[in-house]
Amino acid sequence: MRKCVLTGNWTNDLASTMQISNVSNTGAFSGIYQTAVSDSINPIRPSPLQGVQGQGAQPVFGFTIKWNFAESISVFVGQCFLDADGKEQLNTTWLLRNMMESRKDDWKATRVGTNTFYRTV
Ligand SMILES: O=C(CCCC[C@@H]1SC[C@@H]2NC(=O)N[C@@H]21)Nc1ccc([N+](=O)[O-])cc1
């Protein structure tokens, strides 16, 4: 498998996991995300993701998750880097948008953070 083609299984620093399907010749992919954390009152369930990755040896990418246990959406942007041993790591920044009942709560609707992913061993 070529390095930094995102197909496969990944785990992040929160112990969330994602399974990415084959990457098309346009760089498009889809998959399933299992978050290890949530502050929704509902039980966590696997949720679909869709994304696209760029060309190049250490490509940029982005993906979107529509959470199916909570009215919210996350978008991740990042880049795949190879360390000195050829180990792949995905450095990402994410936005999490929750559905608010009222526009007056719009100010607190979006969270931001970072996650690093490695191939699941
Ligand atoms: O909790 C959720 C959906 C799950 C978000 C998981 C985030 S995505 C960025 C970070 N990286 C991960 O691997 N996992 C976390 N939605 C939600 C949260 C709060 C409320 N709320 O009403 O407070 C509603 C929906």
Side-chain angles (χ1 to χ4, degrees):
M1 180 85 74
R2 265 182 49 75
K3 296 278 189 174
C4 284
V5 173
L6 297 185
T7 303
N9 297 314
W10 300 87
T11 303
N12 74 15
D13 48 289
L14 294 170
S16 299
T17 59
M18 63 181 174
Q19 188 180 330
I20 293 182
S21 68
N22 293 330
V23 177
S24 79
N25 53 19
T26 65
F29 58 84
S30 60
I32 302 284
Y33 199 100
Q34 177 70 9
T35 181
V37 297
S38 166
D39 62 358
S40 165
I41 52 170
N42 304 317
I44 291 171
R45 287 170 47 208
S47 300
L49 72 89
Q50 300 188 80
V52 61
Q53 69 172 99
Q55 278 71 22
Q58 300 189 102
V60 294
F61 59 86
F63 59 89
T64 302
I65 306 168
K66 177 179 172 293
W67 303 105
N68 58 22
F69 59 91
E71 272 308 312
S72 58
I73 288 188
S74 294
V75 294
F76 285 72
V77 290
Q79 184 170 357
C80 181
F81 289 111
L82 297 170
D83 71 13
D85 306 327
K87 184 177 177 189
E88 300 154 299
Q89 81 176 64
L90 309 181
N91 290 2
T92 72
T93 302
W94 51 261
L95 297 173
L96 168 62
R97 169 77 202 206
N98 297 335
M99 184 183 77
M100 294 291 127
E101 290 311 315
S102 161
R103 181 158 52 88
K104 73 173 174 45
D105 293 331
D106 185 59
W107 66 272
K108 63 180 174 182
T110 306
R111 298 173 183 155
V112 62
T114 59
N115 284 135
T116 302
F117 294 78
Y118 296 100
R119 286 208 185 264
T120 307
V121 290

